[in-house]
């Protein structure tokens, strides 16, 4: 079984920074693409950023220039560095990863989420 554990959330004032981590553990062959999503209170889950196995990154327009996604393959961990935070960044942040069983056999997992609250 594979577990994804997010950490690093918390309460921060507008303009502040946080770094989220998503650590994978368990039995898998490789971690391929990893994405961060967020869900605001009463809202739908929305995609925030993604990183491919080779390091190519993509961002939602709402966070481009403020958030940076990166990965440490040796630690099976993906990070989301968030700067210039705004109240509208508030929500539960989830990572979603393809932890392949073997080449060509992807398996997708969600983490449990970490709360980010940005006060104005």
């Amino acid at each position: 079984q594979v577990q994804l554990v997010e950490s690093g959330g918390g309460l921060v004032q507008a303009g502040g920074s946080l770094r989220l981590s998503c650590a994978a553990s368990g039995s898998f062959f490789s971690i391929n693409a990893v994405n961060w999503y967020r869900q605001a209170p009463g809202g739908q889950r929305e995609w925030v950023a993604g990183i491919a196995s080779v390091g190519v990154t993509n961002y939602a327009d709402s966070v481009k220039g403020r958030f940076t996604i990166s990965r440490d393959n040796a630690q099976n961990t993906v990070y989301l560095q968030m700067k210039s935070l705004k109240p509208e960044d508030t929500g539960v942040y989830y990572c979603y990863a393809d932890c392949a069983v073997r080449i060509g056999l992807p398996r997708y997992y969600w983490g449990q989420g970490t709360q980010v609250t940005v006060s104005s």
Side-chain angles (χ1 to χ4, degrees):
Q1 187 65 6
V2 174
Q3 278 194 321
L4 299 178
V5 179
E6 299 101 330
S7 61
L11 173 63
V12 64
Q13 288 188 332
S17 300
L18 285 173
R19 189 177 81 154
L20 307 184
S21 300
C22 171
S25 63
S27 179
F28 50 86
F29 174 74
S30 65
I31 302 175
N32 299 321
V34 180
N35 290 272
W36 284 95
Y37 287 77
R38 67 186 180 189
Q39 188 166 14
Q44 292 188 332
R45 195 168 295 190
E46 64 173 355
W47 175 76
V48 174
I51 186 166
S53 58
V54 295
V56 176
T57 59
N58 281 288
Y59 300 92
D61 288 343
S62 59
V63 306
K64 203 170 292 184
R66 300 187 298 120
F67 290 11
T68 303
I69 188 170
S70 61
R71 63 191 297 158
D72 182 340
N73 291 330
Q75 298 295 323
N76 293 327
T77 301
V78 170
Y79 303 97
L80 186 67
Q81 177 68 53
M82 307 186 295
K83 298 181 179 179
S84 303
L85 283 162
K86 305 175 181 179
E88 51 263 44
D89 294 318
T90 293
V92 179
Y93 283 68
Y94 301 89
C95 64
Y96 180 62
D98 169 14
C99 299
V101 176
R102 56 176 171 82
I103 295 175
L105 189 60
R107 288 289 184 269
Y108 299 94
Y109 299 89
W110 286 99
Q112 85 289 349
T114 185
Q115 175 71 45
V116 172
T117 303
V118 184
S119 63
S120 57

